[in-house]
């Protein structure tokens, strides 16, 4: 079981091969995780679907965390400040960035959706790696866990965390990895117990009527190395 302030445990579990589902600091995730991340993925017949990539080495997560915090600092909203605080908290950990790098590498090599979650002092860092450039709402929906939209998925995760442990806030890093090693995209989301901030490309018309929702252009382009 992962404990507060012990991100090393999350990395150990990840390296042991449990990274196919979200790693979070609640023992009951083994029961709840499959409900949020079903094995089925909606088929994608469009051109450019990610193919397995062999021998990829990725070393950019620490820079992405820094850039994400800097981007959110430009926004004055409470949720953006919350995201900055959470990112700075996790930035201090030497284990988080290597775990995210490993997650991206696994996603590209297997051409599969991969995810990771770590808790520290009631804050959660939730990272999802998508093995293709599907960073718009209608494209992301083709993945079964996000079939109802990104906002809905975040609210499900938040509800599960709240029901199974101490939840203060969460910052989510959604990584869309270009299979051709060109520009990839990071999109940042934040939420607390009553509000959600999502990237504008993932906001749908139905989202805009939801109380507690904020939208921000929180996208960062980056290149994979290796």
């Amino acid at each position: 079981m992962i404990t507060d302030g012990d991100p090393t445990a999350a990395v150990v579990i990840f390296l042991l091969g449990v990274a196919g589902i979200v790693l979070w600091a609640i023992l009951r995730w083994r029961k709840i995780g499959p409900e949020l991340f079903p094995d089925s993925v909606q088929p994608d017949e469009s051109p450019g679907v990610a193919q397995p990539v062999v021998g990829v080495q990725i070393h950019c997560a620490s820079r992405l965390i820094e850039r994400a915090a800097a981007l959110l600092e430009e926004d004055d909203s409470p949720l953006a400040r919350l995201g900055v605080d959470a990112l700075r908290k996790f930035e201090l950990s030497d284990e988080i960035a290597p775990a995210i790098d490993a997650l991206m590498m696994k996603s590209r090599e297997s051409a599969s959706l991969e995810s990771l979650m770590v808790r520290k002092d009631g804050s959660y860092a939730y990272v999802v790696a998508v093995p293709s450039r599907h960073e718009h709402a209608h494209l992301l929906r083709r993945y079964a866990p996000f079939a109802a939209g990104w906002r809905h998925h975040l609210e499900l995760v938040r509800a599960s965390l709240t029901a199974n442990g101490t939840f203060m806030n969460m910052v989510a890093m959604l990584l869309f990895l270009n299979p051709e090693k060109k520009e990839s995209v990071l999109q940042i989301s934040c939420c607390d117990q009553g509000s959600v901030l999502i990237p504008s490309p993932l906001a749908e018309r139905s989202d805009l009527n939801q109380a507690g929702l904020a939208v921000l252009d929180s996208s960062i382009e980056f290149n994979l190395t290796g």
Side-chain angles (χ1 to χ4, degrees):
M1 178 176 180
I2 308 168
T3 58
D4 282 347
D6 187 14
T8 305
V11 180
V12 171
I13 296 175
F14 168 78
L15 294 177
L16 288 175
V18 192
I21 57 174
V22 178
L23 302 178
W24 90 36
I26 304 296
L27 187 59
R28 287 190 62 197
W29 170 248
R30 292 182 180 274
K31 174 180 181 296
I32 300 171
E35 298 175 5
L36 296 174
F37 268 77
D39 293 334
S40 59
V41 176
Q42 296 174 2
D44 182 357
E45 303 297 337
S46 62
V49 176
Q51 298 298 320
V53 179
V54 179
V56 177
Q57 295 181 346
I58 297 172
H59 306 287
C60 61
S62 60
R63 297 194 302 276
L64 284 176
I65 294 172
E66 293 174 5
R67 290 178 63 187
L71 187 152
L72 291 177
E73 282 177 339
E74 297 175 2
D75 189 78
D76 224 7
S77 68
L79 274 178
R81 291 196 297 270
L82 179 157
V84 172
D85 292 343
L87 284 169
R88 296 300 185 197
K89 182 184 299 184
F90 287 103
E91 188 179 14
L92 298 175
S93 169
D94 293 334
E95 292 85 4
I96 299 296
I100 295 174
D101 283 330
L103 190 79
M104 289 191 285
M105 183 169 62
K106 181 176 177 63
S107 179
R108 290 204 61 211
E109 288 180 337
S110 63
S112 63
L113 195 71
E114 301 291 340
S115 53
L116 167 70
M117 185 174 284
V118 180
R119 182 180 71 183
K120 186 175 177 65
D121 302 329
S123 294
Y124 292 82
Y126 178 37
V127 186
V128 181
V130 182
S132 193
R133 287 287 301 267
H134 290 166
E135 68 269 28
H136 297 283
H138 68 287
L139 296 175
L140 186 62
R141 276 178 171 265
R142 66 186 60 188
Y143 292 94
F146 313 121
W150 176 241
R151 175 194 60 80
H152 180 73
H153 178 77
L154 280 184
E155 290 177 348
L156 285 178
V157 174
R158 179 179 64 184
S160 296
L161 289 170
T162 301
N164 292 277
T166 302
F167 175 83
M168 292 174 55
N169 53 63
M170 178 173 70
V171 59
M173 300 177 66
L174 191 53
L175 296 147
F176 296 93
L177 309 177
N178 193 315
E180 298 179 358
K181 293 175 63 174
K182 297 179 182 178
E183 289 80 8
S184 296
V185 173
L186 162 65
Q187 291 183 340
I188 312 155
S189 302
C190 314
C191 66
D192 58 15
Q193 294 177 346
S195 304
V196 178
L197 173 69
I198 63 174
S200 50
L202 296 181
E204 304 185 56
R205 184 174 301 177
S206 59
D207 293 334
L208 302 180
N209 300 321
Q210 299 296 317
L213 177 79
V215 175
L216 177 68
D217 184 8
S218 54
S219 300
I220 297 173
E221 286 199 349
F222 65 99
N223 290 318
L224 298 174
T225 60

